[in-house]
Amino acid sequence: MSAELLESLRRLELIYLKHRGRKSGREYSTEISFAVDDEGVYLLANEESGRPPDWLLNMLAAGAAEFYAGTRLVRGRPEVLPDDAIPRLQEMFRARYGGEIVRRWYDAASVTPLRISDLFAS
């Protein structure tokens, strides 16, 4: 990821995932919180309903990730991380959004840690 893209992502509060329904074929946009470092963008998929969210399943089925960072479309490769990455990502989210957000969305529920790497903006 370029230094310019990294700096741009650090200034954003949210990103908007662009994904296609794996069954319906419809296009969706999902607003989501994220953490970022020079290795990629990190997401924590909340499995509060007992199953992974559709945006995660759609992205993994496509084998590619797309999201809007402001007006720029960013593409990358999604990768589910091992569960031992969860505490580090929770700390990254805590530093970015505060403890209440992490407690509400990412502590009580089961979560899937995800990294989007090999990022490039078009």
Side-chain angles (χ1 to χ4, degrees):
M1 155 176 25
S2 71
E4 177 192 358
L5 179 56
L6 178 60
E7 190 55 39
S8 175
L9 286 166
R10 285 186 170 144
R11 287 191 304 267
L12 293 174
E13 195 70 22
L14 301 167
I15 58 174
Y16 297 86
L17 295 176
K18 180 181 170 189
H19 54 103
R20 184 175 298 280
R22 63 199 179 284
K23 296 175 186 173
S24 69
R26 290 191 305 197
E27 287 193 16
Y28 295 95
S29 177
T30 302
E31 180 181 73
I32 193 162
S33 55
F34 70 101
V36 63
D37 67 16
D38 57 352
E39 293 182 31
V41 166
Y42 298 89
L43 309 175
L44 286 168
N46 181 320
E47 298 181 15
E48 186 175 48
S49 64
R51 63 184 279 284
D54 284 328
W55 64 260
L56 175 61
L57 298 174
N58 292 341
M59 187 185 316
L60 293 175
E66 293 184 320
F67 60 88
Y68 285 98
T71 59
R72 297 171 70 181
L73 181 61
V74 180
R75 293 183 170 92
R77 182 179 52 85
E79 166 191 12
V80 174
L81 298 173
D83 285 346
D84 64 2
I86 293 171
R88 182 174 77 86
L89 296 187
Q90 286 172 325
E91 280 306 311
M92 290 172 75
F93 274 68
R94 216 173 260 110
R96 187 168 175 81
Y97 296 104
E100 181 58 30
I101 295 295
V102 173
R103 274 191 298 283
R104 187 177 330 138
W105 289 100
Y106 306 119
D107 269 350
S110 176
V111 295
T112 299
L114 181 79
R115 175 176 50 215
I116 303 173
S117 58
D118 302 328
L119 298 174
F120 66 95
S122 50

